[in-house]
Amino acid sequence: MDKSYRKIYKISDPKFLVNFWFYNKKIIIGVIIGVLAIIWAGVSCSKIKRPDVSILYVSSSTVDDSKVNEVEQEFAELIEDTNGDGECVVRLIVISVPDGVTQEVDTANTSRVNTEIINGDSNIIIGEKSRIKAFLKQQEFFQSINSFGNPYVSGDFAVDIKNTIFARKMEYSQNTPLCLMIKGGENDVDETKSLMYTQSLLLAEKIMSEK
């Protein structure tokens, strides 16, 4: 092989291609892998369904995926398509914040919960009281709600739903209250988010009223 093949052979000469491959095959393979990775990522993202309603659920225990899927499918039948993609999708985001973990893991879990509550798209926030107690004093994030006979946990914006059908489906068994709160969104200038808020209210009413 000759490194000066560009000067010796014409590009139409088969020997040019042989030398080109020999000296550049690592780069060529790397580029091909990179392009395939981009295509795969694009296809994967296109298959991700955008939720019409998002619900955040925080507990000290984990929840079986089958239970999560069951609730998502049930709720999806009750809402409208808010983002115009032709499908009704409910996403139940479950964050487990267990006891007995390292300080680093606990901090990471708590940080994720805070981020989801403050910056996430979930208008319905459901959490074990001991795991979201810091937000029970942050009433500016939430709105007053109808408790449907459930005891208020704090003021009139957080109610205990541990005795509801939803709690049983999620296999909630803690003694501490399971708090439901609604993050305001009625004045959101984003039409899609405003519709998500409206549909969230329907699901929140269902959750609170069914026992």
Side-chain angles (χ1 to χ4, degrees):
M1 297 297 170
D2 196 326
K3 289 186 177 182
S4 59
Y5 66 93
R6 294 178 184 273
K7 296 179 180 179
I8 298 175
Y9 307 109
K10 294 182 178 180
I11 194 170
S12 58
D13 192 322
K15 292 184 177 180
F16 178 93
L17 297 177
V18 172
N19 281 272
F20 180 81
W21 169 254
F22 181 81
Y23 290 109
N24 299 280
K25 57 185 175 183
K26 290 183 178 180
I27 297 175
I28 295 172
I29 293 173
V31 170
I32 293 174
I33 292 175
V35 171
L36 291 176
I38 293 173
I39 293 174
W40 179 85
V43 172
S44 298
C45 290
S46 67
K47 292 181 179 180
I48 297 176
K49 297 179 180 180
R50 294 181 297 161
D52 298 288
V53 173
S54 179
I55 302 172
L56 176 63
Y57 180 83
V58 184
S59 177
S60 58
S61 57
T62 58
V63 182
D64 189 270
D65 288 343
S66 63
K67 299 294 182 182
V68 175
N69 293 334
E70 179 183 339
V71 172
E72 288 178 336
Q73 292 174 14
E74 176 189 348
F75 285 174
E77 296 177 358
L78 305 175
I79 65 169
E80 298 177 2
D81 176 17
T82 64
N83 54 37
D85 64 358
E87 295 186 79
C88 295
V89 178
V90 173
R91 179 165 298 156
L92 180 57
I93 302 171
V94 177
I95 301 180
S96 175
V97 188
D99 293 317
V101 296
T102 64
Q103 181 64 42
E104 291 78 8
V105 173
D106 185 65
T107 300
N109 287 334
T110 301
S111 177
R112 185 186 173 196
V113 170
N114 294 343
T115 300
E116 285 289 347
I117 291 179
I118 297 173
N119 299 318
D121 292 327
S122 300
N123 290 111
I124 301 175
I125 311 296
I126 299 174
E128 190 175 328
K129 183 180 178 181
S130 59
R131 296 301 184 269
I132 60 170
K133 58 185 178 182
F135 282 94
L136 296 177
K137 298 179 181 180
Q138 307 295 325
Q139 298 190 25
E140 64 270 19
F141 284 104
F142 310 101
Q143 68 177 53
S144 299
I145 54 178
N146 185 337
S147 69
F148 288 90
N150 298 292
Y152 288 111
V153 178
S154 180
D156 62 352
F157 75 98
V159 298
D160 183 6
I161 62 166
K162 70 173 179 289
N163 295 318
T164 62
I165 292 176
F166 173 86
R168 291 194 290 275
K169 286 183 177 179
M170 299 298 284
E171 298 183 338
Y172 185 76
S173 59
Q174 306 300 321
N175 293 323
T176 183
L178 182 62
C179 306
L180 183 147
M181 300 177 288
I182 298 176
K183 188 167 65 173
E186 66 274 24
N187 298 318
D188 203 310
V189 295
D190 187 302
E191 183 179 359
T192 298
K193 289 185 177 180
S194 180
L195 290 172
M196 289 178 70
Y197 164 77
T198 302
Q199 297 302 304
S200 294
L201 290 183
L202 297 177
L203 294 186
E205 291 183 1
K206 177 180 175 62
I207 291 170
M208 289 187 291
S209 62
E210 289 191 331
K211 297 183 179 179

